[in-house]
Amino acid sequence: MTKPVEKTARAGDKVSSEAHTLSELLEIQKAAFLRDGIPDAATRIDRIARLGQLLLDNAEEITAALNEDFGTRPREVSVTTDVAGCLIDLTDQRRHVAEWMEETNVAKLQGMLGLKQRLRHDPLGVVGIMGPWNFPLQLTFVPAGSAFAAGNRVLMRPSSVTAKTTEVIARVAPDYFSIEELAVVTSAHGGGADFAKLPVDHMFFTGSPEVGASVAAEAAKNLVPVTLELGGKNPAIVDLDTDITEAANFLADARMINGGQVCLCPDYVFVPEGKVGEFTEKVLARWTKMFPSIVDNTQYTSTVNEKNYTRIVGLIEDAVELGATKHQVIPAGEDLPNAPTRKIPPTLLTGVKAGMKIEEDEVFGPVLTVYPYREQSEAIDKINSAGHPLTLYWVGKDNERLAHVADHTRSGSISGNDFAMHLLTGHLPFGGVGRSGMGNYHGKFGFDTFTHERAVFVSRLPFKFADLVTPPFSGFDGKLVDSQMKMWKFLNGRALRKVNKR
């Protein structure tokens, strides 16, 4: 039976997480989980609602902090993605949690015969959430909402790269949550590697494949299950009969969201060979219209720090030195790339070949590589050689060519003619496969990620299975075994014959 958490004051109320060590925070939450038991629907809904209210009440301070962390980041982007964008999934969790948490009766016919079976959807306990810097709230608050819906406590570690934003969240969180429910972990508690060592009941990480592998390795030492939301080089395929202007405008826009610093941004695109020139012209025209100025343009998102700025500029320079051609949008009189503002001009590369660093590295910046193709198989082979991406973009109709691509590639998702919309519906999972991640969330998929499907079986039969499989065995028992084998051979043989007739 689930029950509400008492509303009396707790030792963790109005207390900053920085008043405790990492280990103490974990022990506080574990003790609270055991003390209070499994929370009822009202308690879960209240926690999710408070999570949303934290964002809404502090939206302006949060967006100002995000702008300071990045250098320049448009308020419209921060509100849409890191504030209002979180409320979509939080609202979905809040509306459906009472339904999702109900016990599920299964095998009802067997139940009528005396074998009662049901599934409980129990919380795991304490969930650790490690977030990245590119969307430091969206990628921590949304999984936190799922964890609350499932009945868990949450230790949240936003990225230390976006330190100003993390400072705001850590400071205001005690106004909405006891540290028994939600504790925001900061750099004062140590690095991400220290957080990954915690023996929580589930570890949720969003970031690069390299760091994800390290997190998984640390979690494995404590047998902690992990969900890894990683990145990768996301390909796009422009179909043969797709309008090139429409394709170019869409991909130009999608590449530049958050300055290209999105795990779902298209990284490289395959264009029918005879249309590459037109596609290139259209993309550059779109970027020119979007960004009449860049250096002093507050709507042009800066690269988050010097390390990433230097890395992206280096990828472009390496490709050009090895024979690639760069096409850049540089407004008149502006010095770009610009190190003081960490702004890199929108860049399209053609002639990229094996051996160039940009062929291997996820760019995570305002750079799009274009490859020509004659046959669809060329694009498929290239995609399959690069590892499984987080998403695969298809620009064209929902036709047999898309079906062929889906059947012959692997990716976390397929996105047709739009960007990241599958995150917003509540009906589809978000997650990678292979190098782009493991596990998923959003909607009920998020609830399930942080839930233990607990089997309950109660027998009312007049005999016990345990008695049937323990000595002494009689001659009748031997005949019963022989009869089982005869039955299974008949059924399996019949199945094989049906398959062979097709």
Side-chain angles (χ1 to χ4, degrees), residues 26-107:
L26 177 58
E27 289 307 313
I28 288 169
Q29 291 201 350
K30 283 189 172 184
F33 178 79
L34 293 174
R35 179 196 67 215
D36 294 335
I38 296 176
D40 65 357
T43 301
R44 302 181 194 204
I45 290 169
D46 174 60
R47 288 172 179 168
I48 298 168
R50 279 185 278 142
L51 198 62
Q53 201 61 45
L54 186 161
L55 291 170
L56 293 170
D57 289 346
N58 300 280
E60 293 307 316
E61 188 174 6
I62 287 168
T63 55
L66 284 164
N67 185 68
E68 191 172 353
D69 278 328
F70 275 82
T72 58
R73 193 194 203 214
R75 177 179 179 273
E76 293 80 0
V77 171
S78 293
V79 170
T80 300
T81 59
D82 273 312
V83 180
C86 295
L87 272 296
I88 297 172
D89 199 72
L90 293 181
T91 300
D92 191 57
Q93 298 287 338
R94 179 166 48 80
R95 287 177 175 172
H96 293 100
V97 60
E99 169 194 350
W100 294 340
M101 65 186 285
E102 288 295 319
E103 283 190 357
T104 307
N105 288 319
V106 298

Side-chain angles (χ1 to χ4, degrees), residues 249 279-290 329:
N249 288 346
F279 178 84
T280 299
E281 291 174 2
K282 298 289 187 180
V283 169
L284 295 174
R286 182 72 165 188
W287 284 341
T288 299
K289 183 178 180 180
M290 290 168 66
V329 172

Side-chain angles (χ1 to χ4, degrees), residues 6 30 98-99 111 118 149 153 165 277 295 309 326 332 347 395 432 437-438 475 478:
E6 297 294 331
K30 283 189 172 184
E99 169 194 350
R118 61 183 183 267
R153 311 299 173 111
T165 305
V295 173
Y309 171 86
K326 69 178 178 182
T347 303
V395 189
M438 63 177 73

Side-chain angles (χ1 to χ4, degrees), residues 491-502:
L491 292 174
N492 205 64
R494 186 175 65 177
L496 286 172
R497 288 190 294 273
K498 284 185 178 180
V499 171
N500 291 332
K501 285 180 179 179
R502 292 176 183 172

